[in-house]
Amino acid sequence: GAPLLLGGEDVMDNDETPGMGSKVADEDFKANFIGRTAQPLVLEDIDAVTGATISSKAALGAVNLAIEAFQTVIGGAGA
């Protein structure tokens, strides 16, 4: 079948520095994930938030955990 695509990511809550790490909740950052295949990503795959690498990595890690959980539920990548 067709590959599964990501619809984006949503930040429910964060305690990041306003104007820096909190930018992972902005639409520009979220757009990094829309339309990508549901496969784990690395930092080089996205446009990280300048000056907020740790926050970008944390958001990316959360997306990857969600992808792994989804793949476990459906029985494998792209199933």
Side-chain angles (χ1 to χ4, degrees):
L4 298 171
L5 303 178
L6 299 177
E9 59 91 21
D10 196 14
V11 176
M12 297 178 73
D13 188 28
N14 75 71
D15 293 322
E16 297 296 333
T17 305
M20 293 296 290
S22 63
K23 289 185 178 183
V24 298
D26 290 352
E27 294 303 318
D28 286 342
F29 184 77
K30 293 179 189 183
N32 278 297
F33 304 98
I34 297 172
R36 292 193 180 261
T37 58
Q39 298 293 323
L41 302 168
V42 295
L43 195 60
E44 290 77 19
D45 291 331
I46 65 168
D47 291 326
V49 176
T50 301
T53 304
I54 293 172
S55 298
S56 298
K57 286 180 179 178
L60 181 63
V63 168
N64 283 337
L65 285 173
I67 290 169
E68 290 174 22
F70 179 75
Q71 290 174 344
T72 298
V73 169
I74 65 165

